[in-house]
Amino acid sequence: MSTTIGIISIVAAFALLIVLSYKGMSVMYVAPLCALFVALVNGIPLLDAVTGPFIGGATGFIGGLLPIFLLSILMGRIYVESGAAVNIAKTLMNTLAKSASGPQKQTIAVYICIAVSWVMCFGGIDTFCALFTLFPVMLTICAEANIPRKYLIGLITCGVSTAALTPGAPLVTNYTPMGILGTSSAAGLIPGLAAVLVMVLGGGTYLSKSIHAATARGEAFEYGTVAFEPPAEGRKYPPFVVSLLPLVAVVVVFNLINDLIPALALGFVLSLILLVPFFQPGEASRGRTLINTLNEGGRSTAESLFLGGIVVGFATVVQATPAYQVMVDGLLGLSLPAPLLVVIAVAILVGLTGSPPAGLAIVVPVLAANLDLAPEAIHRIATTAATTFDTLPFQGAVIIMLNMAGLKHKEGYPPVMMCTVVWTMTASLVAALLFAVIPGLT
């Protein structure tokens, strides 16, 4: 009976976290309260719960990811301020869509949006940071191709999610399983590339057809309530190749040495050298503009890490209960193929924690210890499945971005759901199926 009550308390605590977060309450205080509730019901002394698993889980998450988040977010801020991100998109539009119009131009714009998002993230810029870094870039493309604004967030998240599940990506979703399983960054290469293909074709086709249908109904792009300053006429941008160099350097170094921190450090240094000269300081000096840019990156890093750490602290308290182990045993005892179990377990944990690295850090060690599955297979399936339920409607990044775009959930969330829940889950199942049918694809 006590185990049943414990399980109910865990489910109730996660539901409370979801509902209160959706209502606009910060997880900075909601998660600790939910952790205390779980500890109380499960007979864990409250002080022990706070000073033990809660603080240990939060500080472990923050300490392990601080340099990664800091370097990638600072790099992302430099790409915004220098205009490098905008110029990558403008160059592709001018090259590929210069003579196109109507639906054809919209389709090209969709795949350019996916490509630019993928390039930025695959180049090492954290996915959370990239969502906001890419906002003005994608808004510019939508305006040029007459894509209704309700598709804006879906366009951004489709490419970001695709990058997050790509083998070799210098991102924390790909890096976290490496440390746990001892695998390489490109583990499970072929199933991983199959998942990428599913995302690009599935998400791109869905977005293109939906946008064409909306345009046929008379919908058109408009800025609405979005506060947006178009790029200044005649401003000087970093050359296209120069804009790509720091991103390429991060990818190459990461895949050569399998260590993300030195790779990001190199990318950050190259960004300072190559991109800062293209800052448009206005009334301030270029040095002051750089300081303000780095300060903003530091604030974003602190917010991202502490929000993630608090949620991990809550999840670690849940892990400390006997009821949690019963739930894990029940899940792992299901009569399902091991690859499918990985998809289900990772998707659920990521959805409940709201953080892919947090969910992966919790569930991957459990899966590795209990499933008869190659570490490379667990790595690739888990990385792919981590992109599924991290964009449910109550997740903080989704809510913030919809507000930035001046969209209500019923307007802007359906494209996000289709690209980053439906198609990412399809991609995860394809990868899992390939490993189930051909176990040697590691």
Side-chain angles (χ1 to χ4, degrees), residues 106 110 146-148 151 155 206-216:
Q106 290 175 331
V110 165
N146 192 32
I147 295 175
Y151 294 100
L155 286 165
Y206 158 75
L207 287 168
S208 297
K209 289 185 176 297
S210 297
I211 291 167
H212 297 164
T215 304

Side-chain angles (χ1 to χ4, degrees), residues 40 44 46 55 73 138 201 246 287 302 304 340:
L40 181 66
I44 302 175
L46 298 186
I55 296 297
I73 289 175
M138 300 309 172
L201 295 180
S304 301
L340 183 57

Side-chain angles (χ1 to χ4, degrees), residues 58-393:
T59 56
F61 176 86
I62 293 170
L65 295 179
L66 173 58
I68 294 172
F69 271 61
L70 179 61
L71 290 167
S72 64
I73 289 175
L74 290 179
M75 191 172 159
R77 295 304 307 173
I78 291 173
Y79 263 81
V80 171
E81 191 62 39
S82 67
V86 171
N87 197 43
I88 290 173
K90 287 173 66 71
T91 301
L92 291 175
M93 284 293 290
N94 291 336
T95 302
L96 302 176
K98 187 174 183 180
S99 59
S101 62
Q104 183 187 29
K105 187 171 186 177
Q106 290 175 331
T107 298
I108 294 172
V110 165
Y111 283 100
I112 287 175
C113 286
I114 293 173
V116 172
S117 300
W118 184 90
V119 166
M120 295 291 287
C121 291
F122 196 76
I125 294 175
D126 175 67
T127 53
F128 184 84
C129 173
L131 293 174
F132 306 103
T133 300
L134 290 165
F135 185 88
V137 179
M138 300 309 172
L139 194 63
T140 302
I141 294 177
C142 286
E144 186 172 340
N146 192 32
I147 295 175
R149 183 164 41 89
K150 69 181 183 181
Y151 294 100
L152 173 62
I153 310 305
L155 286 165
I156 297 174
T157 54
C158 186
V160 169
S161 294
T162 303
L165 59 80
T166 303
L171 297 170
V172 69
T173 47
N174 192 41
Y175 187 65
T176 300
M178 291 170 59
I180 298 170
L181 301 170
T183 47
S184 71
S185 62
L189 178 63
I190 294 175
L193 292 178
V196 170
L197 186 63
V198 169
M199 274 298 299
V200 172
L201 295 180
T205 300
Y206 158 75
L207 287 168
S208 297
K209 289 185 176 297
S210 297
I211 291 167
H212 297 164
T215 304
R217 292 192 300 267
E219 297 181 37
F221 175 83
E222 37 78 31
Y223 283 104
T225 59
V226 177
F228 177 69
E229 282 189 34
E233 289 293 331
R235 80 158 284 177
K236 189 176 181 182
Y237 291 101
F240 181 74
V241 174
V242 172
S243 299
L244 293 177
L245 282 177
L247 305 177
V248 172
V250 171
V251 175
V252 172
V253 172
F254 174 61
N255 284 280
L256 283 175
I257 67 175
N258 277 335
D259 194 336
L260 187 51
I261 296 174
L264 288 173
L266 175 62
F268 174 61
V269 171
L270 287 176
S271 298
L272 289 173
I273 296 171
L274 299 175
L275 304 182
V276 170
F278 293 90
F279 279 15
Q280 301 293 307
E283 296 181 2
S285 66
R286 184 172 284 109
R288 173 50 57 185
T289 303
L290 174 60
I291 291 171
N292 292 339
T293 299
L294 297 179
N295 287 346
E296 182 61 33
R299 283 190 290 269
S300 298
T301 300
E303 180 182 5
S304 301
L305 277 174
F306 273 89
L307 287 175
I310 289 294
V311 174
V312 171
F314 161 64
T316 307
V317 172
V318 170
Q319 281 184 284
T321 65
Y324 172 80
Q325 190 57 50
V326 173
M327 295 172 67
V328 170
D329 292 341
L331 175 62
L332 297 177
L334 294 174
S335 298
L336 296 172
L340 183 57
L341 284 175
V342 176
V343 174
I344 295 172
V346 172
I348 290 174
L349 259 295
V350 168
L352 292 175
T353 61
S355 168
L360 288 170
I362 293 167
V363 75
V364 169
V366 177
L367 295 171
N370 291 275
L371 294 181
D372 183 19
L373 195 61
E376 292 81 5
I378 295 176
H379 176 153
R380 186 52 48 207
I381 299 169
T383 298
T384 307
T387 65
T388 53
F389 290 168
D390 62 328
T391 49
L392 295 176

